[in-house]
Each structure stands twice: as structure tokens, then as C-alpha cells.
Amino acid sequence: MAEILHSKIVGSGEKHLLVFHGLFGQLDNWNTIGKHFGEYFTTHLIDLRNHGRSFHSDDSSLAAMTQDIVNYLDANNIQKAHLLGHSLGGRIVINFAMVHQDRLDHLIVADMAPKAYQPHHNAIFKALKSVNFDEVESRKDVETILSQYIPEVGVRQFLLKNVYNAENGKYAFRFNLPVLDKFYQEMIGQDLLQGEFDGPTLFLGGANSNYILPEDEMMIKERFPKAIIKKIANAGHWIHAENPKDFTAEILDFLLNK
């Protein structure tokens, strides 16, 4: 029996929208936006495997995470759904679109192109691996350790949302750090599945982000002939957090009118 991803379901619309966060994220990051989506769709905010409250596994390959979507749809008796993925979540929904087109309605990819990336989270992994929870007495202690490697307050706050009180009475990370570290190169640096998705597709990039470059647009159009590519103003890679108003408006316009 396949393990099923943990989710929070908001709203009760006729169509289903599945939302997938990025590396080190969790569904809680999407609660506010999820409420807006829930006014129109049955919205599933989902924790990826080895993240949030979903199961931990020794396998964090893109293939396994793509199959997790299939298992989730089957477990919830959903034949076809809209998919929204940010960052790592975007990579997973792109792969899903290549092999399960019959189960995909509209596809939304947030700040991710269908290509391999140079690994660029090395400082974050180093920071996270330097936290010894046997010696940590408070969240502030964790932040102090992270601050030695990560100068950006916003990134530290994002990571600290994953610190919780474990059953052993100590603090811990919700994500499965050793496995994410092991599979990081594959998750980020590997080419995605080849193929084409001919359904309605929206690529949303942050205007201040370099994840979707002008030279990526031809590749996107080749792989996704109906793709709309837009940039969200005043936003970097975390577009849903930095400009949630425009981000939500673009997605609702796309899902309701395209």
C-alpha cells in the first residue's frame, strides 16, 4: 500500500487544485493563498515527501515524487486536477505533465523552468547540518547558528518554520535533511523528463528572480505550446510570499478564464 502525502483541503469547488511547495517548504506556507483558491476550487495544500507532516522516505527522487501525485489523486478519487508547483514543486508538476497528461487540467509552474540548474543551496545545507539539536534549547539558538551561514533574515525565518518540538522533548526539523542532502543534486541539477504538454499552462516568474531567463522562453514554448509566460512585479523567487496579491490574481484569471 502506497503512503499518501499529507494535505490540508480547503473549499469545496467542483474542480480540484493541488498545490506543491518548494525545497524546505511546507503546506503551511500556502495557508493564506489557499483560502483564496478555496473560494473557487477544492484546494489541496500538500506536503511533499520528506517535508512538513508527510512521510519520510529514503527516496527523494523526482520519479518517486511524481508518482506521489498519482497516488494522491487515486487515494482522493480525483480523475483530473489543476496542478500548481513552486520551485522544486514546479519541477515535479512539469515531470507529471510529461507522463500523466490525461489527469492534468491546467498546469501552473511558479518560478521554475524545465531545465537543470547549478546547485545553489550549499550554504543552506551547511547551515542546517551545523545545527546540533542535542545542544539547542530554543528556536533562538537555531537562528543564531543559521545566521553564521545565512545573512538573509527572510531565508532564516522560512527555514525556522520547520523547527518543531519532537516527541523526544527536543527540537527537530520537520524535513528529512539527510535524504534531501543526498538527493539534492538529482532534484535540482538533473534534466527533467522530455516531452510535450499541449494543455493550458502558465509559467509565472518573479521579476527580480533569475530562475526563468529570457532564453528559457523558447524551450518553454516548445515543450508547452499553449504556455503563457508572465513576470510578477516586486517579487523574487518566493513570488507567492513577496507579492501574493498579483500572484493569486494571475492564477485565478488563468484558471477561471483560459
Side-chain angles (χ1 to χ4, degrees):
M1 187 71 181
E3 291 190 87
I4 304 303
L5 298 174
H6 174 260
S7 69
K8 179 178 180 181
I9 302 174
V10 186
S12 57
E14 183 185 343
K15 293 204 168 186
H16 293 266
L17 168 65
L18 277 57
V19 181
F20 297 93
H21 59 76
L23 183 65
F24 303 125
Q26 53 187 324
L27 69 82
D28 290 353
N29 305 143
W30 292 80
N31 278 334
T32 306
I33 286 177
K35 284 178 189 161
H36 289 295
F37 291 150
E39 294 171 21
Y40 304 91
F41 314 101
T42 299
T43 302
H44 303 251
L45 306 178
I46 296 174
D47 281 332
L48 297 174
R49 64 166 58 201
N50 291 317
H51 289 79
R53 291 173 176 81
S54 278
F55 59 90
H56 283 195
S57 164
D58 290 337
D59 186 357
S60 249
S61 63
L62 291 174
M65 290 190 279
T66 303
Q67 183 61 38
D68 285 340
I69 302 180
V70 179
N71 297 344
Y72 185 89
L73 291 171
D74 290 346
N76 287 277
N77 297 311
I78 302 168
Q79 182 51 42
K80 203 168 188 180
H82 303 310
L83 295 189
L84 160 59
H86 170 249
S87 199
L88 174 60
R91 299 179 73 73
I92 297 162
V93 299
I94 287 171
N95 269 6
F96 183 91
M98 295 302 105
V99 285
H100 300 291
Q101 306 199 1
D102 57 323
R103 306 203 64 177
L104 180 53
D105 197 334
H106 286 50
L107 174 67
I108 305 142
V109 181
D111 216 48
M112 181 56 61
K115 65 179 183 180
Y117 286 81
Q118 285 295 320
H120 50 279
H121 291 83
N122 298 346
I124 290 179
F125 274 107
K126 193 171 182 182
L128 295 171
K129 287 191 279 189
S130 70
V131 177
N132 179 354
F133 284 108
D134 288 333
E135 298 173 358
V136 163
E137 294 180 0
S138 69
R139 289 170 185 275
K140 188 69 186 164
D141 291 346
V142 181
E143 179 168 22
T144 301
I145 297 165
L146 296 183
S147 67
Q148 296 168 24
Y149 303 88
I150 304 170
E152 305 89 352
V153 177
V155 177
R156 293 202 303 268
Q157 293 300 323
F158 168 73
L159 295 168
L160 284 166
K161 287 178 181 172
N162 288 281
V163 176
Y164 77 111
N165 286 304
E167 291 171 6
N168 63 4
K170 296 176 181 175
Y171 286 100
F173 291 127
R174 287 203 182 278
F175 45 69
N176 187 347
L177 182 59
V179 172
L180 295 180
D181 186 29
K182 179 182 172 187
F183 279 87
Y184 173 66
Q185 176 66 42
E186 179 189 331
M187 290 190 292
I188 302 299
Q190 190 178 72
D191 283 326
L192 296 175
L193 295 177
Q194 293 301 307
E196 188 179 298
F197 174 63
D198 196 32
T201 306
L202 175 65
F203 277 79
L204 283 180
N208 304 328
S209 169
N210 61 1
Y211 273 72
I212 299 177
L213 299 170
E215 55 264 35
D216 297 328
E217 297 193 6
M218 185 184 293
M219 178 208 313
I220 290 171
K221 289 284 192 180
E222 285 175 0
R223 303 275 310 270
F224 303 90
K226 294 182 178 149
I228 300 165
I229 305 169
K230 291 192 172 183
K231 294 282 185 174
I232 299 292
N234 306 313
H237 184 55
W238 279 288
I239 45 179
H240 55 294
E242 293 170 23
N243 190 345
K245 186 166 174 274
D246 289 355
F247 180 78
T248 307
E250 288 287 358
I251 289 173
L252 287 175
D253 179 56
F254 171 69
L255 290 177
L256 298 171
N257 302 314
K258 299 291 189 287

